[in-house]
Amino acid sequence: MERILKLAVIVLIPVILWFTTPPEGLSDTAWRLFGFYIAGILGLILKPYPIQIILLAVLSASALFLDNAKEILVGYGSTALWMIIAAFSLSVAFGKTGLGHRVAYHLIRAFGSTVLRLGYVTALLDLILSPATPSNTARAAGIIYPINLSIAESIGSYPGDTAKRGGSFILMNGYFVTKITSFMFLTAMAPNVLALDFVTKITGLSMTWGEWALALALPGLVMLIFVPLIGYWIDRPESVEIDNKKLAADGLAKLGPMKVSEKILAVVFILALIGWALPSIGVDLSATAVALVAMTIVFLSGIITWDDMVQTKAVWNTFIWFGAILGLSTALTKAKFFAWLATFMQTNLALDFSPLVVVLILSAISVVIRYLFASSTAYIASMLPVFLTVGMASGVDPVMFGLVLLATNAFGGLVTHYGASPGPIIYSAGYNNLKDWWTAGGILAILSWILLFVVGIPWWTFIGMIG
């Protein structure tokens, strides 16, 4: 019954918009297409079926009733989508070869002698892996979580009475750091590309992979300094010292000697990072081409097989939802919906504040409202165009505003344990209590918001992105 009610709500929206007169200045086609788009967003939030099925249904309905299949399927031909899919191959390779685990154990041996230091090891490992793992679930829950779980158990920390010995902090910290690294690189989270697409369409700001990293990596690094400290302060682990040498030795012994596949992957990963960064210094090289070449190498060298990609659900789930939303938003742009919305906002909404204050207000609201969403995708698709349009109508600096919203989408998910897919997986281990998690997450979200402006604005000015 609940599923039927959710479906009824989703279907009702495009039906209502179909039979109502569009606002002045907006065509019937754009208005009706907007109805299908809203139906898709509601589907992402209500989830009566998996989001991929909902979005395919929306595409089908739009194609049938608006005869616009060609316009709404362009998302599947997007170079940005194919860059993400290609980058997923590196993520799959990190998991299959064990290179990610090997790097982790070397970091633990070098730096993980205390529980707090292990928090920074997790942050460093997530940071290293983030440029090549568009799924933060694969990164935080697939690679890092099992390592953190084994560390917790090795110090005698289990769910229940011994959780506070260190396991609760180690696991919770694993989620917090991935919410920071997720905005530091374009390829660190698949929805980043969708967010940048909206930012480009509405504000005119376009960025290469290197420009994104240059702008947002420094604020992210500063935030990462505080993440383990806040979690440690809130959680107060009972255990302090760690036998990191034994932990690392046992882990590396299980992995065995470094394989040829790991060595090849390490070289491919480094070369891919260089290739993605080169356009920022004037070298005309497509980021998508770099990703496709990297994917081809990991296939041809036998590091992963096609079956490995086929069996990785995240790859194809991303392909379906990303292409669908990108196609619908592109069709809305072509129908001049966002242009109309900007004009409408300028005419009817007056935020009587300075542009900087408007950015502060809207970004703070974006962090707070992220509390309602369990998906970055749903948040970006439903709220980001609204915030961007309101901000542009108020005369904000488009570059600063775009960068701020690209970051708040990710770290806004700190507020709750369900703010992104890795959260429920890590929380379900049973180590953490809701009070500590939400307290630490709330403090970190506020602190990250403050640091974004304190560090970001001077940095963006220094590198010449804002005046």
Side-chain angles (χ1 to χ4, degrees):
M1 185 63 182
E2 182 181 357
R3 174 180 288 181
I4 294 174
L5 288 174
K6 290 179 178 179
L7 282 174
V9 172
I10 293 169
V11 171
L12 190 61
I13 296 298
V15 170
I16 292 174
L17 266 64
W18 187 279
F19 290 105
T20 55
T21 303
E24 184 179 352
L26 197 63
S27 67
D28 287 338
T29 299
W31 184 239
R32 291 170 176 175
L33 179 62
F34 178 60
F36 287 116
Y37 182 79
I38 293 298
I41 302 309
L42 282 175
L44 293 179
I45 298 170
L46 299 178
K47 296 181 181 178
Y49 289 97
I51 62 173
Q52 293 77 24
I53 295 176
I54 289 292
L55 289 171
L56 286 175
V58 169
L59 290 179
S60 301
S62 179
L64 177 64
F65 292 106
L66 292 177
D67 191 24
N68 63 352
K70 185 176 181 180
E71 286 79 11
I72 60 175
L73 292 177
V74 295
Y76 293 105
S78 163
T79 57
L81 171 60
W82 282 99
M83 180 181 71
I84 290 298
I85 297 302
F88 261 113
S89 66
L90 295 178
S91 175
V92 174
F94 268 103
K96 182 180 179 180
T97 62
L99 180 59
H101 290 73
R102 188 178 300 280
V103 172
Y105 287 122
H106 279 295
L107 291 174
I108 290 168
R109 183 170 61 187
F111 306 110
S113 58
T114 68
V115 171
L116 179 58
R117 286 187 178 185
L118 279 174
Y120 284 100
V121 167
T122 296
L124 183 56
L125 176 61
D126 200 300
L127 178 64
I128 291 170
L129 296 176
S130 59
T133 44
S135 168
N136 54 23
T137 305
R139 183 167 72 249
I143 297 177
I144 296 174
Y145 167 65
I147 297 172
N148 282 344
L149 191 61
S150 65
I151 291 173
E153 293 174 351
S154 73
I155 61 175
S157 182
Y158 296 90
D161 294 339
T162 59
K164 286 287 188 179
R165 190 168 291 174
S168 55
F169 161 72
I170 292 169
L171 267 66
M172 181 173 66
N173 181 71
Y175 174 73
F176 290 157
V177 298
T178 209
K179 295 311 297 170
I180 301 299
T181 61
S182 289
F183 76 78
M184 293 172 65
F185 304 98
L186 177 61
T187 47
M189 184 173 67
N192 283 347
V193 181
L194 178 63
L196 181 58
D197 182 70
F198 278 124
V199 168
T200 301
K201 288 172 180 174
I202 298 173
T203 71
L205 169 64
S206 60
M207 288 189 292
T208 64
W209 188 96
E211 289 168 339
W212 176 303
L214 179 64
L216 293 175
L218 180 62
L221 286 172
V222 175
M223 293 175 196
L224 282 179
I225 293 173
F226 291 93
V227 169
L229 285 174
I230 297 298
Y232 192 86
W233 173 58
I234 296 295
D235 193 88
R236 305 280 184 176
E238 297 169 359
S239 179
V240 178
E241 298 295 326
I242 300 291
D243 189 355
N244 58 312
K245 305 298 183 184
K246 184 178 185 305
L247 270 174
D250 291 345
L252 290 171
K254 289 180 182 178
L255 290 173
M258 191 172 187
K259 302 182 289 292
V260 173
S261 59
E262 293 179 77
K263 295 176 182 178
I264 296 174
L265 177 59
V267 173
V268 172
F269 174 51
I270 293 170
L271 291 177
L273 293 181
I274 294 172
W276 285 331
L278 284 176
S280 299
I281 58 174
V283 178
D284 187 14
L285 188 63
S286 165
T288 303
V290 171
L292 289 172
V293 169
M295 179 172 67
T296 302
I297 292 173
V298 296
F299 278 132
L300 293 179
S301 61
I303 296 175
I304 63 172
T305 66
W306 181 247
D307 283 343
D308 292 326
M309 284 289 281
V310 170
Q311 292 167 15
T312 305
K313 294 180 180 179
V315 176
W316 307 110
N317 287 341
T318 299
F319 183 81
I320 294 299
W321 71 251
F322 186 92
I325 294 179
L326 193 59
L328 289 167
S329 66
T330 300
L332 280 172
T333 302
K334 187 176 180 181
K336 301 188 182 306
F337 175 81
F338 293 118
W340 169 83
L341 184 60
T343 302
F344 178 83
M345 292 290 188
Q346 287 175 336
T347 304
N348 296 280
L349 180 67
L351 289 178
D352 193 19
F353 304 103
S354 70
L356 178 58
V357 173
V358 171
V359 174
L360 290 168
I361 292 172
L362 293 179
S363 61
I365 294 173
S366 76
V367 172
V368 172
I369 208 169
R370 188 66 175 78
Y371 167 86
L372 303 173
F373 291 87
S375 163
S376 295
T377 306
Y379 169 81
I380 290 170
S382 57
M383 299 307 304
L384 198 60
V386 177
F387 285 124
L388 288 168
T389 304
V390 171
M392 292 304 293
S394 303
V396 300
D397 181 300
V399 176
M400 178 175 67
F401 191 48
L403 290 170
V404 166
L405 289 188
L406 289 173
T408 56
N409 157 62
F411 72 68
L414 286 165
V415 178
T416 68
H417 64 294
Y418 56 77
S421 297
I425 297 171
I426 297 171
Y427 186 79
S428 66
Y431 279 83
N432 301 100
N433 65 72
L434 206 59
K435 178 184 176 182
D436 285 352
W437 189 301
W438 280 36
T439 300
I443 292 172
L444 283 171
I446 295 170
L447 180 61
S448 297
W449 178 78
I450 293 171
L451 289 173
L452 183 63
F453 289 94
V454 172
V455 177
I457 291 179
W459 173 241
W460 301 331
T461 304
F462 176 74
I463 62 177
M465 293 197 75
I466 61 176

